[in-house]
Amino acid sequence: MTDDGGRLERLRERVGTAQTRLRRRLQPVIKDQLTYWPTELGRRVDLTGETAVVSGELPDDELIVYVHGFLGEGRFDIAKTSGAHQAAAFQEALDAECSARNRERPAVVPAMWDSSTTWTKAKARSKRAGQRLAEWLRVQDRPVHLVAHSLGGRVVLEALDNDPGDCLDSVALFGAAVDPDSVCREYFAGIEALDGPVYNYHSENDQIVCRLYRVGEISAGLGCRGSDCRGGLLRSSGRLPSNFTDVDVSEQVQGHLDYYKPAEYTTAGNCVGAFVDNQL
């Protein structure tokens, strides 16, 4: 084997070791949060194929599309926490907040993508899923809000970067597992082209994006302390898109799954009320 081949093989081994370490650390960190998962929603948008496929009946009016993150296909072995289950929990929390405000209750639809693999492969697949999502959005004639959790944030940002059309009213990122400077460089143009706001709900108590994200990505994620466009070592400088807003929900969100779950099943609350006030 050549020197270059040997270095490549050693690099692959180190990456594989880091990914194994990430998965082992992930389970005990979120195990205590795996309480209360309602029956999964039957309606969904499947982004795993060459084109998006809709299952179940979607309403004709305002719609919220929920995009899950890493390991969200339903193969996680602690509990059934697929994106469809997460969307059902979010729908319940959303109904409660809308009812308290005498507001209409939009339907939540999970967008499912093939994220139950290694971290590196999931990141690569998020780009393809984002392209499929953008293609589906371009043919929608109803107002749509995108809500993305964790690595689903990368899917949604990729969708914005691939011309999603005119149906989007707003975007919400919950604990986004993307780099904190990505919104001022690679995703800047896609965000600013959107005729609507993008809110980034972040929490310094989210140990997944504040600590475990560092294992494979060097720094904390966008969902930890929000955006960082100051530049510096290994980071790009720039400015935030004019329609991008960081929202610190550290007081309410104490864990990676608490952003969207009904408040009674979390430690200190969720950020669904803030989402309703800001975006609906």
Side-chain angles (χ1 to χ4, degrees):
M1 182 179 293
T2 65
D3 289 344
D4 287 344
R7 282 195 294 269
L8 180 59
E9 186 63 29
R10 289 192 294 272
L11 177 59
R12 286 173 175 166
E13 290 177 358
R14 287 197 294 271
V15 170
T17 300
Q19 291 174 345
T20 300
R21 188 162 61 246
L22 175 61
R23 294 179 71 123
R24 287 175 178 172
R25 291 183 181 180
L26 178 66
Q27 294 188 6
V29 168
I30 69 172
K31 184 175 181 179
D32 292 339
Q33 300 177 53
L34 296 178
T35 57
Y36 184 70
W37 293 101
T39 302
E40 63 183 331
L41 294 180
R43 57 182 182 265
R44 65 192 61 190
V45 180
D46 187 345
L47 304 175
T48 60
E50 289 300 315
T51 59
V53 177
V54 174
S55 299
E57 186 174 349
L58 304 187
D60 294 327
D61 49 5
E62 187 177 29
L63 193 66
I64 297 175
V65 175
Y66 174 87
V67 185
H68 65 80
F70 186 42
L71 303 178
E73 281 186 279
R75 300 177 186 176
F76 198 43
D77 60 4
I78 294 180
K80 289 189 176 297
T81 58
S82 75
H85 290 88
Q86 295 170 32
F90 178 45
Q91 179 77 77
E92 186 170 323
L94 181 68
D95 288 351
E97 295 293 344
C98 287
S99 178
R101 294 163 172 76
N102 294 315
R103 303 279 296 274
E104 292 282 340
R105 306 177 185 184
V108 177
V109 177
M112 305 295 291
W113 61 287
D114 45 350
S115 66
S116 294
T117 181
T118 65
W119 174 253
T120 299
K121 288 182 179 179
K123 285 203 307 177
R125 291 176 181 179
S126 69
K127 184 177 183 68
R128 183 187 64 188
Q131 293 168 348
R132 301 292 179 264
L133 179 58
E135 292 167 0
W136 180 78
L137 290 169
R138 283 199 293 271
V139 299
Q140 301 307 303
D141 56 4
R142 59 171 71 82
V144 176
H145 303 272
L146 291 181
V147 174
H149 179 247
S150 196
L151 192 59
R154 192 180 298 267
V155 175
V156 164
L157 291 172
E158 289 287 348
L160 297 185
D161 215 31
N162 281 272
D163 183 19
D166 301 322
C167 71
L168 286 179
D169 273 8
S170 72
V171 172
L173 305 175
F174 290 173
V178 298
D179 291 345
D181 62 340
S182 62
V183 295
C184 51
R185 49 181 180 89
E186 61 192 285
Y187 297 125
F188 178 91
I191 294 172
E192 187 139 280
L194 178 67
D195 186 20
V198 176
Y199 287 91
N200 175 47
Y201 299 89
H202 61 94
S203 172
E204 292 188 44
N205 294 310
D206 182 342
Q207 297 302 303
I208 299 297
V209 290
C210 290
R211 295 182 60 188
L212 292 188
Y213 186 81
R214 293 177 182 271
V215 173
E217 305 297 332
I218 300 175
S219 72
L222 179 67
C224 182
R225 297 183 181 87
S227 58
D228 184 357
C229 300
R230 297 171 297 175
L233 184 64
L234 302 179
R235 287 284 171 246
S236 299
S237 61
R239 67 178 180 88
L240 283 174
S242 58
N243 56 339
F244 183 93
T245 303
D246 285 311
V247 182
D248 188 351
V249 292
S250 299
E251 184 175 340
Q252 303 98 310
V253 174
Q254 300 293 306
H256 192 55
L257 307 181
D258 287 351
Y259 294 90
Y260 56 80
K261 290 179 68 176
E264 60 267 34
Y265 299 104
T266 67
T267 302
N270 56 41
C271 68
V272 180
F275 166 78
V276 172
D277 291 339
N278 289 332
Q279 299 179 239
L280 297 185

